[in-house]
């Protein structure tokens, strides 16, 4: 474990029905998790266009978390299955493009998994702390 | 079945024009979408209803300035429409198939005529050739027969053509086959029996050298392609996408030329990408400096995400780039990798769904479940 004083910034795109509610539960149950995450609520992971994730990564985030319902539980039936493919494509493109794909995390977290949400944010924060700041943050020419 | 289009005086162009005229005269179709030579010598697709005007049709002009799949969309997309034939190069046919899946065009009432392609020149090169002694078509036809294909001295095929391994007509309602063909007996053509009957064409044997000629060219194109892929992978690894596209002037030509980038409401032309003045200040302060126009890497990365799985490698993006950036090479290189992940071959079949609109429940099961 390293503590270099660097506090990563995480942008989280969470679906309203599962992960956002899970995050809310973590809050109301007073489960502790690092304050590094900025939450953006969406109706479904199916509406996460890769552009949003990329914009965050190119303009200041150290990591992006996409959180949705477990497979089979999507409120709109198949939004998360499509999101899964999109994130796989996005990560592969980032890899090919010489960018760090491990700054993008996809996690299925249900409305009742407040603890899992808190754990995920802690893990991701720690991971990014060790990894260091996103080099894109300082690249003015992107 | 396989038949032969009759040829007189070894004039291949006249034979093809005659074939297209037959399509009109027998009322198989009401118009033909085909490259035409304009009175001033440029080549452009046109929808031709008058058989007499097909004397200016030039499906063999080795130039590609735009992907004709783009032109097919507006004339087929909805009823009422005419019955038309579209004469296409293999990369144009593949783009058409992708556009069908993107719901931008329809195969209804459409007869696709796909012609074997030796490779094409850019518009400026083609103009130069015409002005300086002409375009040697017989050398191209001879090269297609033997598989020993070379561009005209002093000129190179378009960047994409040099690494195009899918240049042979392998799909389409009508396939016109020049590779390996002994044209003295006519131009080999593959089409449905019923259509052949209507056009008065009789079955003819294959002369057996097509596979050999196609193989030979395929091998050398794949070799060239893999060298380009390796070089591009090296560059992307070293410089990143921001290095390769560093000189981009954000004209959006690559997107405009791309047959797959069809969105009328492209995100990058929409208010979503118009930020508040104060936002630019915030970014400039945060990074110290901020490249303008904004979101240049975002543009390229978004385009990769939105359409690289459908990239059929026509290379028109590269030809359209005023900064001479290897846009098509990037898309083909990244595309090959990504298409393999989803086991997708763009342009092959309308039966294969676009990877990002479909899914299987039982795939990538570990993804998202990490503890
Ligand atoms: S990309 Fe292939 S099919 Fe298209 S013009 Fe070039 S060689 Fe012909
Ligand atoms: S990205 Fe370039 S090579 Fe690929 S389909 Fe579009 S214009 Fe053709
Ligand atoms: S055509 Fe070239 S300069 Fe224009 S936006 Fe595309 S990559 Fe940039
Ligand atoms: S509603 Fe949660 S992923 Fe679709």
């Amino acid at each position: 474990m390293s503590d270099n004083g660097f506090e990563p910034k995480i942008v989280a795109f969470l679906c309203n029905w599962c992960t956002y509610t899970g995050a809310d539960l973590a809050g109301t149950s007073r489960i502790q998790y690092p304050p590094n995450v900025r939450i953006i609520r969406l109706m479904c992971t199916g509406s996460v266009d890769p552009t949003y994730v990329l914009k965050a990564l190119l303009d200041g985030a150290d990591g992006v978390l996409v959180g949705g319902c477990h497979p089979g539980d999507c409120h709109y039936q198949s939004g998360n299955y499509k999101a899964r493919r999109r994130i796989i494509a996005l990560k592969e493109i980032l890899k090919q493009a010489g960018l760090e794909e491990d700054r993008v995390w996809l996690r299925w977290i249900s409305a009742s998994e407040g603890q899992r949400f808190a754990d995920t944010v802690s893990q991701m924060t720690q991971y990014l702390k060790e990894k260091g700041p996103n080099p894109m943050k300082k690249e003015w020419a992107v | 079945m396989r038949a032969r289009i009759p040829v007189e005086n070894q004039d291949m162009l006249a034979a093809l024009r005659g074939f297209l005229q037959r399509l009109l005269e027998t009322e198989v179709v009401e118009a033909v979408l085909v490259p035409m030579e304009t009175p001033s010598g440029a080549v452009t697709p046109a929808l031709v209803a008058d058989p007499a005007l097909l004397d200016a049709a030039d499906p063999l002009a080795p130039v590609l300035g735009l992907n004709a799949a783009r032109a097919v969309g507006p004339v087929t997309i909805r009823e009422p429409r005419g019955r038309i034939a579209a004469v296409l190069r293999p990369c144009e046919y593949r783009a058409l198939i992708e556009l069908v899946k993107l719901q931008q065009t329809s195969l209804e009432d459409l007869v696709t005529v796909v012609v074997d392609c030796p490779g094409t020149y850019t518009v400026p090169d083609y103009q130069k050739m015409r002005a300086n002694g002409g375009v040697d078509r017989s050398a191209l036809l001879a090269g297609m027969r033997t598989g020993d294909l070379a561009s005209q001295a002093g000129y190179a095929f378009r960047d994409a053509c040099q690494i195009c391994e899918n240049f042979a007509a392998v799909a389409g309602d009508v396939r016109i086959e020049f590779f390996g063909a002994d044209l003295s007996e006519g131009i080999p053509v593959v089409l449905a029996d019923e259509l052949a009957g209507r056009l008065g064409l009789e079955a003819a044997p294959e002369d057996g050298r097509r596979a050999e000629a196609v193989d030979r060219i395929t091998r050398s194109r794949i070799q060239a392609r893999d060298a380009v892929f390796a070089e591009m992978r090296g560059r992307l690894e070293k410089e990143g996408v921001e290095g390769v596209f560093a000189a981009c002037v954000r004209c959006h030509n690559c997107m405009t030329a791309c047959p797959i980038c069809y969105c009328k409401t492209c995100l990058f032309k929409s208010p979503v990408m118009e930020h508040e003045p104060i936002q630019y200040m915030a970014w400039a302060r945060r990074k110290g400096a901020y490249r303008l126009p904004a979101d240049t890497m975002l543009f390229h990365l978004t385009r990769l995400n939105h359409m690289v799985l459908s990239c059929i490698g026509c290379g028109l993006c590269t030809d359209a780039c005023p900064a001479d950036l290897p846009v098509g090479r990037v898309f083909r290189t990244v595309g090959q990798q990504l298409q393999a992940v989803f086991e997708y071959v763009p342009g092959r079949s309308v039966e294969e769904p676009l990877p990002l609109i479909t899914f299987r429940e039982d795939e990538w099961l570990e993804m998202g479940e990490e503890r």
Side-chain angles (χ1 to χ4, degrees):
Chain A
M1 292 257 248
S2 79
D3 195 0
N4 45 19
F6 158 60
E7 287 299 336
K9 233 187 258 172
I10 299 171
V11 174
F13 296 101
L14 308 182
C15 95
N16 180 51
W17 305 98
C18 290
T19 314
Y20 184 85
T21 312
D24 207 34
L25 179 66
T28 53
S29 329
R30 298 174 192 280
I31 304 173
Q32 292 287 327
Y33 64 86
N36 302 55
V37 61
R38 302 240 185 113
I39 294 178
I40 296 167
R41 170 157 59 155
L42 296 156
M43 291 318 274
C44 175
T45 54
S47 63
V48 179
D49 190 286
T51 309
Y52 306 156
V53 179
L54 288 162
K55 178 74 179 164
L57 281 180
L58 293 171
D59 275 338
D62 295 294
V64 173
L65 171 67
V66 177
C69 314
H70 287 276
D73 294 344
C74 172
H75 206 75
Y76 307 94
Q77 272 72 37
S78 61
N80 52 0
Y81 291 122
K82 290 182 186 159
R84 183 163 68 189
R85 283 193 162 216
R86 258 186 242 152
I87 298 290
I88 283 167
L90 169 66
K91 285 166 79 76
E92 185 65 32
I93 287 169
L94 287 174
K95 214 191 302 170
Q96 297 293 317
L99 300 169
E100 298 171 329
E101 55 87 22
D102 59 343
R103 292 185 184 276
V104 179
W105 289 29
L106 173 73
R107 291 292 184 273
W108 308 134
I109 301 170
S110 76
S112 60
E113 292 177 313
Q115 187 63 50
R116 173 163 160 76
F117 177 78
D119 292 348
T120 300
V121 172
S122 308
Q123 265 176 31
M124 191 168 181
T125 305
Q126 190 54 37
Y127 183 86
L128 293 171
K129 261 190 188 176
E130 282 167 28
K131 194 171 167 66
N134 178 0
M136 285 297 130
K137 276 215 283 207
K138 284 287 164 206
E139 291 256 11
W140 67 268
V142 301
Chain B
M1 73 180 206
R2 189 173 262 97
R4 281 181 182 270
I5 298 169
V7 177
E8 277 169 34
N9 308 321
Q10 296 185 28
D11 190 341
M12 303 306 147
L13 193 52
L16 287 183
R17 286 171 179 161
F19 176 78
L20 299 176
Q21 272 152 352
R22 286 287 293 162
L23 285 175
L24 286 180
E25 285 157 6
T26 54
E27 293 179 357
V28 170
V29 296
E30 298 162 277
V32 181
L33 199 156
V34 61
M36 294 274 284
E37 188 174 78
T38 70
S40 54
V43 177
T44 175
L47 185 63
V48 186
D50 178 352
L53 286 177
L54 284 172
D55 286 342
D58 197 354
L60 296 180
V63 57
L64 196 72
L66 65 92
N67 192 309
R70 264 251 146 119
V72 176
V75 293
T76 62
I77 186 69
R78 70 183 76 85
E79 294 184 278
R81 63 187 152 217
R83 269 176 297 115
I84 71 162
V87 182
L88 304 166
R89 293 180 183 277
C91 62
E92 294 177 311
Y93 177 79
R94 293 197 297 279
L96 185 77
I97 296 302
E98 291 305 292
L99 287 172
V100 170
K101 295 191 239 183
L102 292 162
Q103 298 173 354
Q104 298 306 305
T105 189
S106 161
L107 296 178
E108 294 297 314
D109 298 321
L110 179 68
V111 177
T112 50
V113 180
V114 184
V115 187
D116 275 350
C117 176
T120 49
Y121 301 102
T122 62
V123 172
D125 274 354
Y126 186 73
Q127 305 281 38
K128 242 183 269 166
M129 292 164 113
R130 279 177 43 88
N132 302 310
V135 185
D136 188 353
R137 295 172 181 224
S138 43
L140 282 182
L141 285 173
M144 289 172 91
R145 167 149 173 77
T146 58
D148 204 0
L149 203 53
S151 57
Q152 194 159 323
Y155 298 90
F157 287 131
R158 295 184 314 115
D159 197 61
C161 301
Q162 294 173 30
I163 61 168
C164 169
E165 72 285 56
N166 295 304
F167 50 84
V170 293
D173 302 311
V174 177
R175 309 198 309 251
I176 298 189
E177 302 185 334
F178 283 101
F179 288 112
D182 172 6
L183 301 169
S184 61
E185 306 276 324
I187 305 168
V189 57
V190 178
L191 71 184
D193 296 0
E194 194 255 357
L195 182 54
R198 283 179 74 180
L199 296 170
L201 296 173
E202 280 164 24
E206 196 180 352
D207 66 13
R209 298 184 50 187
R210 177 173 170 78
E212 197 186 310
V214 170
D215 273 3
R216 204 155 156 208
I217 304 165
T218 308
R219 270 201 304 274
S220 77
R221 294 271 177 91
I222 287 183
Q223 207 178 359
R225 180 200 73 183
D226 289 348
V228 163
F229 284 173
E231 192 239 20
M232 187 47 76
R233 277 200 200 104
R235 275 194 73 184
L236 286 168
E237 218 169 281
K238 210 162 125 248
E239 310 168 45
V241 78
E242 68 277 23
V244 176
F245 283 110
C248 173
V249 298
R250 281 299 290 286
C251 60
H252 292 177
N253 281 5
C254 47
M255 166 178 109
T256 310
C258 178
I260 310 301
C261 264
Y262 67 88
C263 296
K264 292 183 187 83
T265 50
C266 174
L267 210 55
F268 288 86
K269 289 182 177 164
S270 77
V272 179
M273 290 290 153
E274 287 166 16
H275 312 297
E276 285 302 314
I278 200 70
Q279 181 65 58
Y280 293 100
M281 246 351 269
W283 283 325
R285 285 206 184 92
R286 191 187 304 158
K287 291 198 178 193
Y290 196 70
R291 179 183 184 135
L292 295 175
D295 304 315
T296 290
M297 285 321 126
L298 187 65
F299 168 68
H300 292 295
L301 285 166
T302 296
R303 231 168 68 75
L304 280 166
N305 272 280
H306 284 175
M307 52 66 57
V308 79
L309 278 160
S310 289
C311 169
I312 45 73
C314 63
L316 285 161
C317 47
T318 301
D319 301 334
C321 179
D324 225 2
L325 299 175
V327 194
R329 290 182 176 211
V330 171
F331 276 76
R332 276 218 65 190
T333 306
V334 176
Q336 193 206 31
Q337 228 44 33
L338 211 65
Q339 288 156 11
V341 169
F342 291 98
E343 295 170 7
Y344 184 68
V345 180
R348 184 166 62 185
S349 161
V350 286
E351 306 300 327
E352 292 172 68
L354 295 168
L356 296 186
I357 61 153
T358 183
F359 61 88
R360 286 206 336 257
E361 291 183 6
D362 63 347
E363 60 187 7
W364 288 294
L365 291 173
E366 67 296 350
M367 179 114 186
E369 302 287 11
E370 297 90 334
R371 295 269 148 194

